[in-house]
Amino acid sequence: MSNDFFDDLESDILWEDWSKINQDKRAETPDFSATIEDNYEFVKKAPIHTHIKESWDEEKLSNFNNTIEAPCVFPNLKPQILPPLEKNFTRIITIGGHNEVGKNSSMIQYNSEILIVDGWLQFPESTMLGAKYCLPDISFLIPLKDKIKWIVITHGHLDHIWWLKHILPTLGYPTIYAPKLTIWLIKKQLEDAWIWDKAKIVVTNPDIDWIFNIGIFRVEFFRENHNIPDACGIYIETPNARLVYTWDFKFDFTPSIDKPADLTKIWEIGSRWIDLLLSDSTNSLKEWFTQTEADIGLELHKIISETQGRIIIATFASLIGRIHQIIESAERTWRTVFLNGRSMVENVRIGRELGYVKCNPNTVRRLTNAIDSMPDDKVIILTTWSQWEEFSGLYRMAYGEHPIIKIRPGDSVVLSSNPIPGNERWVINLMNELIKLGATLFTKDGMDIHTSWHASREEQKIMINLIKPKYFMPAHGELFMRVAHKKTAISLWISDKNVFLTDNGSVIDIDTERKIRKNKFKLKLEDIIVDGHWIGIATSHIISARAQMMKSWVVVIIFKVDDKTKALLGPLKIETRGLAYLDEVREVHRMIIKKARTSYETTIKDIPDIEEKELIKIIKKDVESYLAYKIEREPMVVPSIITV
Ligand SMILES: [Zn+2]
């Protein structure tokens, strides 16, 4: 069998090249001067690895293909003025993750230097009509742009790295610090946006005792578990504060391809008298431990080895550990894995290049019609099924829209990930369709084919006990989750008054005595949405108009008028959508035309020199009020005047 999987996937920088670049830079950049008083013997001077490409390929940009995503410009919102930060205080601003699951993002400032920890991306709320996804509101950071020189990223999940392509140009390309796999996933995102060449990148390694001197900050990455390799927590030190961000984490002592969390290092960091711990609250109400990935691998292998026909496994492309388990099981059962979905193909490519996914090159192939020539019991189709957009791989298969795969009796479909909250109905419909087509479904109900990637209560206790913080801030969770996490912290030894339940936009100041207090001022952070190539706020008039159209339909009335006399020329034209039922449409149109004509003529008579804009407003209001009274419906009326 030929292996055409990697043939058309170029990789312009191999890992070896990276190491070489880093090695060269290490030799050239021995500037590790400590910027703060160093009273820790364990602090190592960290080599600073920098890979900076100066050139910006104008030609590439001019050949820009519209189908490729362009960088967007962040909306110019009215900047909010932050209260002044006192000299030698440390300030933390919770940008996201303190009112919901996900959205982890934080800003740390000491005097005139700012470091950002993670950013986020999330599905739009149902009210954000037309939006593809939401981004953090960093408008308050734009005036501080010159102070922001660094971003540290904990892990490579899409919701933690996608935002970079929108935010980096706005913030002037701060240097990104992240572990190896995360950087490679970021690379792909930035390449898609044509800004990779401008990015400044430092590859970190949680397995080495590096403490990076990043301006005034000292930063150290430590290994945790999540559901993607190289997930890290971060220790951040300023001259008057020592902080630990766990962000998304769990402890998994038998992860699929990752190493277990580095408990020794976490304990060692905890011995530095940590002032504040910000930690993942998602599973605060779940007792005991989160199930290990090893169990999931066993169950998946059981299904794969006992199934006769084609197997279609749907999971998230970022679950590289899970993907590796499936590929490994395919090899043991002599099946070939066909990858469906661009992100699935890309992530497997990256996983293989970095050595996270190990397999015979012939085991994995891009999904093509070649699958038809293989026996059913020799294939696995590994597909995306993100509910992000309706044209995900599995969706298209279920609704008969996939160009290659038609679901048929004898197929087995394994859903090896959780529906994203809010998309449960979408998933139920999908499952119904698959069953109607004759597929056998395997879901996590009653089967260990998916596990959470967040810590349950006992793991949260271990983290708090190892870090031993004076202050604690539950993060990444709805309020009830963070309250449960607070209770857990208090049940250990943290005092009630030292636990902060904050909101997004909260401002936390740490004084020179290392005391923490919540500022009375709170930022008002907008919902920022991306709608195609436009970034704006969810309260934009366009979104409101869409909401109104959805709720109350549309009436377009066209007036043809004489340019000089303003007299109406001929009958009005009318188009309505969703307003009238078939047997009433004629009558309703007649009423609208009559009312609109009267409104126009009366207004022109009363105010002959009225501006067109004002005239339209009056007609719109008149007709809308009339319809609300006459037929108890409230459509959006759009008058349009054509002068001839
Ligand atoms: Zn995550």
Side-chain angles (χ1 to χ4, degrees), residues 102 218 221 228 280 338 376 383 417 454 465 474 482 559 641:
R218 293 188 152 202
F221 288 70
I228 184 166
D280 181 354
F338 288 86
D376 286 357
T383 182
S417 52
H454 298 278
N465 272 315
R482 289 181 290 124
F559 300 76
I641 296 175

Side-chain angles (χ1 to χ4, degrees), residues 102 104 118 154-160 226-228 231 247-249 280 318 453-454 476:
N104 283 343
D118 276 6
T154 56
H155 64 287
H157 272 160
L158 214 54
D159 61 339
H160 286 249
H226 193 29
N227 219 340
I228 184 166
W247 274 176
D248 307 13
F249 89 99
D280 181 354
S318 60
W453 44 73
H454 298 278
H476 196 285

Side-chain angles (χ1 to χ4, degrees), residues 222-287:
F222 59 89
R223 188 174 284 284
E224 302 173 329
N225 296 112
H226 193 29
N227 219 340
I228 184 166
D230 280 1
C232 290
I234 302 182
Y235 165 77
I236 298 169
E237 182 182 305
T238 72
N240 71 323
R242 288 160 215 150
L243 320 169
V244 171
Y245 287 76
T246 74
W247 274 176
D248 307 13
F249 89 99
K250 65 177 180 179
F251 291 125
D252 190 340
F253 301 112
T254 48
S256 59
I257 48 173
D258 211 5
K259 294 176 185 167
D262 190 343
L263 296 185
T264 311
K265 191 167 180 180
I266 298 172
W267 171 84
E268 187 266 336
I269 285 171
S271 67
R272 299 174 196 176
W273 300 102
I274 299 300
D275 295 298
L276 175 65
L277 168 67
L278 296 95
S279 194
D280 181 354
S281 305
T282 315
N283 283 346
S284 300
L285 293 160
K286 288 198 179 153
E287 291 184 358

Side-chain angles (χ1 to χ4, degrees), residues 86-358:
E86 289 191 46
K87 195 165 182 290
N88 299 337
F89 275 37
T90 294
R91 169 166 288 173
I92 300 166
I93 296 183
T94 52
I95 304 172
H98 292 256
N99 290 113
E100 62 279 290
V101 170
K103 288 190 176 183
N104 283 343
S105 186
S106 195
M107 180 214 89
I108 303 164
Q109 179 173 9
Y110 184 84
N111 290 344
S112 61
E113 297 183 53
I114 292 178
L115 173 78
I116 295 176
V117 187
D118 276 6
W120 52 265
L121 164 140
Q122 211 171 51
F123 291 107
E125 303 279 331
S126 57
T127 52
M128 301 172 190
L129 299 167
K132 282 189 176 163
Y133 47 88
C134 309
L135 295 171
D137 180 358
I138 52 138
S139 53
F140 74 98
L141 288 173
I142 294 172
L144 305 171
K145 176 177 153 177
D146 293 343
K147 300 183 170 72
I148 306 166
K149 299 200 175 62
W150 314 280
I151 298 177
V152 290
I153 307 280
T154 56
H155 64 287
H157 272 160
L158 214 54
D159 61 339
H160 286 249
I161 62 172
W162 188 297
W163 67 297
L164 286 168
K165 62 185 170 192
H166 297 294
I167 302 302
L168 286 181
T170 302
L171 294 183
Y173 296 92
T175 304
I176 301 166
Y177 287 72
K180 188 168 66 173
L181 175 64
T182 309
I183 290 295
W184 275 70
L185 295 169
I186 289 171
K187 176 174 180 279
K188 181 176 158 296
Q189 292 296 322
L190 301 189
E191 280 174 342
D192 283 353
W194 295 100
I195 57 172
W196 169 245
D197 286 352
K198 286 194 160 191
K200 298 192 269 295
I201 300 290
V202 177
V203 182
T204 65
N205 184 345
D207 298 328
I208 299 177
D209 290 338
W210 283 346
I211 295 190
F212 290 89
N213 296 311
I214 305 180
I216 197 74
F217 305 100
R218 293 188 152 202
V219 174
E220 185 171 9
F221 288 70
F222 59 89
R223 188 174 284 284
E224 302 173 329
N225 296 112
H226 193 29
N227 219 340
I228 184 166
D230 280 1
C232 290
I234 302 182
Y235 165 77
I236 298 169
E237 182 182 305
T238 72
N240 71 323
R242 288 160 215 150
L243 320 169
V244 171
Y245 287 76
T246 74
W247 274 176
D248 307 13
F249 89 99
K250 65 177 180 179
F251 291 125
D252 190 340
F253 301 112
T254 48
S256 59
I257 48 173
D258 211 5
K259 294 176 185 167
D262 190 343
L263 296 185
T264 311
K265 191 167 180 180
I266 298 172
W267 171 84
E268 187 266 336
I269 285 171
S271 67
R272 299 174 196 176
W273 300 102
I274 299 300
D275 295 298
L276 175 65
L277 168 67
L278 296 95
S279 194
D280 181 354
S281 305
T282 315
N283 283 346
S284 300
L285 293 160
K286 288 198 179 153
E287 291 184 358
W288 208 229
F289 286 82
T290 298
Q291 193 173 20
T292 172
E293 287 291 330
D295 289 351
I296 309 303
L298 289 175
E299 189 83 16
L300 282 171
H301 180 65
K302 188 165 178 281
I303 294 170
I304 291 168
S305 58
E306 291 175 0
T307 298
Q308 298 299 317
R310 291 195 302 188
I311 303 174
I312 297 153
I313 304 181
T315 192
F316 296 128
S318 60
L319 299 188
I320 292 173
R322 185 77 47 82
I323 291 167
H324 171 76
Q325 288 172 324
I326 293 162
I327 293 173
E328 197 177 44
S329 178
E331 290 200 322
R332 289 164 64 193
T333 52
W334 305 102
R335 285 181 187 254
T336 298
V337 178
F338 288 86
L339 303 176
N340 181 54
R342 181 168 174 252
S343 52
M344 188 67 82
V345 171
E346 280 292 322
N347 286 4
V348 171
R349 175 179 72 80
I350 291 169
R352 287 198 60 186
E353 280 186 17
L354 300 187
Y356 291 108
V357 176
K358 296 188 181 75

